């Protein structure tokens, strides 16, 4: 079965400091991994994805994520956090098998960046 | 933002009444999805469509039905709404340009907040 875990419900970081939002996954075969961000009262916005190739994936708004196969992790990172990065972040993995492009989402991590 | 609209954006209804939510896209994408978002659960797939008149169930499909008579429209119907269906509903779309299943990004609509009293 495919699943995603986001072990932290909340992450707090000061502006200018590096941030990490954690994600671990369980999937049969090679995973396709995604990060989305949700601002209040908005839909999800795509940040980045890992399909194959370089383990370090760069995405929108200065975010990047590192795929680590041995640790089954796909942590989201940013070198210097901004107050405007405060939002709800979701990790998702593609479900392989009979369902086309079906995403399994984590429960989300609320990121708060204080000034 | 991808060309996805959802209507209505907010709805309050009573238990036992039928409700239909509409997702409309202008991207001509083949795949469309309905998710519900609940605190502590992230997003869960209700139903999805891989073409006109081609639909299938997701993980939380009980109490919901869908229809897709045109590429651009994907309707979600609650035949008899219950309080447990109070949620925020998101539509998403994707295409198969890469040829690799699951690699194509899903883009989400703005959501519909449904309250069932």
């Amino acid at each position: 079965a495919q699943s995603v875990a986001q072990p932290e419900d909340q992450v707090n970081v000061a502006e200018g400091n590096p941030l990490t939002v954690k994600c671990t996954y369980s999937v049969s075969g090679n995973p396709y991994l995604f990060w989305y961000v949700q601002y209040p009262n908005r839909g999800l916005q795509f940040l980045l994805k890992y399909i194959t190739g370089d383990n370090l994936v760069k995405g929108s708004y200065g975010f990047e994520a590192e795929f680590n196969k041995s640790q089954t992790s796909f942590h989201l990172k940013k070198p210097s956090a901004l107050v405007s990065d405060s939002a709800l972040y979701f990790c998702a993995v593609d479900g392989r098998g009979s369902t086309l492009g079906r995403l399994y989402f984590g429960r989300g991590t609320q990121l708060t960046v204080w000034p | 933002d991808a060309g996805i609209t959802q209507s209505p954006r907010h709805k309050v209804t009573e238990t036992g009444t039928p409700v239909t939510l509409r997702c409309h896209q202008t991207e001509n994408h083949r795949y469309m999805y309905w998710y519900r978002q609940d605190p502590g659960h992230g997003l869960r797939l209700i139903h999805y469509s891989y073409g006109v008149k081609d639909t299938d169930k997701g993980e939380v499909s009980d109490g919901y039905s869908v229809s897709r008579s045109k590429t651009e429209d994907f309707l979600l119907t609650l035949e008899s709404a219950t309080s447990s269906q109070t949620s925020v509903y998101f539509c998403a779309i994707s295409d198969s340009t890469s040829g690799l299943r699951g690699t194509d990004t899903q883009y989400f609509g703005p959501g519909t907040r449904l309250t069932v009293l």
Side-chain angles (χ1 to χ4, degrees), chain B residues 59-71:
Chain B
E59 59 184 310
V60 290
S61 59
D62 288 349
Y64 301 94
S65 63
V66 291
S67 65
R68 192 167 178 202
S69 59
K70 297 184 291 185
T71 298

Side-chain angles (χ1 to χ4, degrees), chain A residues 5-69:
Chain A
Q6 294 181 242
E8 300 160 317
D9 291 336
Q10 184 119 10
V11 170
N12 299 310
V13 64
E15 188 173 33
N17 283 1
L19 70 86
T20 299
V21 182
K22 296 180 180 177
C23 172
T24 59
Y25 66 89
S26 174
V27 64
S28 56
N30 294 321
Y32 301 151
L33 295 155
F34 301 78
W35 274 103
Y36 286 85
V37 60
Q38 184 180 33
Y39 298 99
N41 300 313
R42 300 285 298 274
L44 276 69
Q45 295 180 29
F46 169 72
L47 279 179
L48 52 80
K49 66 182 179 183
Y50 171 83
I51 302 300
T52 187
D54 194 345
N55 290 341
L56 186 63
V57 179
K58 294 188 183 297
S60 306
Y61 313 120
F63 284 94
E64 58 189 27
E66 186 170 10
F67 171 66
N68 187 315
K69 188 172 184 178

Side-chain angles (χ1 to χ4, degrees), chain A residues 38-44 88 90, chain B residues 6 8-11 21 33-39 41-46 60 64 76 78 83-92 108-116:
Chain A
Q38 184 180 33
Y39 298 99
N41 300 313
R42 300 285 298 274
L44 276 69
L88 186 58
F90 290 99
Chain B
Q6 293 184 232
R9 294 293 314 279
H10 301 271
K11 186 170 181 66
L21 308 183
Y33 311 81
W34 276 108
Y35 292 88
R36 60 178 289 175
Q37 182 181 20
D38 303 290
H41 290 277
L43 276 78
R44 293 178 292 176
L45 183 66
I46 305 171
V60 290
Y64 301 94
L76 177 70
L78 291 65
S83 59
S84 64
Q85 293 175 312
T86 293
S87 186
V88 181
Y89 292 86
F90 287 100
C91 173
F108 285 78
T112 294
R113 184 173 295 276
L114 176 67
T115 302
V116 183

Side-chain angles (χ1 to χ4, degrees), chain B residues 7-18:
Chain B
S7 59
R9 294 293 314 279
H10 301 271
K11 186 170 181 66
V12 179
T13 191
E14 294 186 349
T15 298
T17 60

Side-chain angles (χ1 to χ4, degrees), chain A residues 65-91:
Chain A
E66 186 170 10
F67 171 66
N68 187 315
K69 188 172 184 178
S70 63
Q71 297 185 5
T72 62
S73 66
F74 189 56
H75 300 333
L76 181 70
K77 301 180 180 183
K78 188 174 183 181
S80 179
L82 300 173
V83 173
S84 57
D85 293 330
S86 298
L88 186 58
Y89 291 80
F90 290 99
C91 182

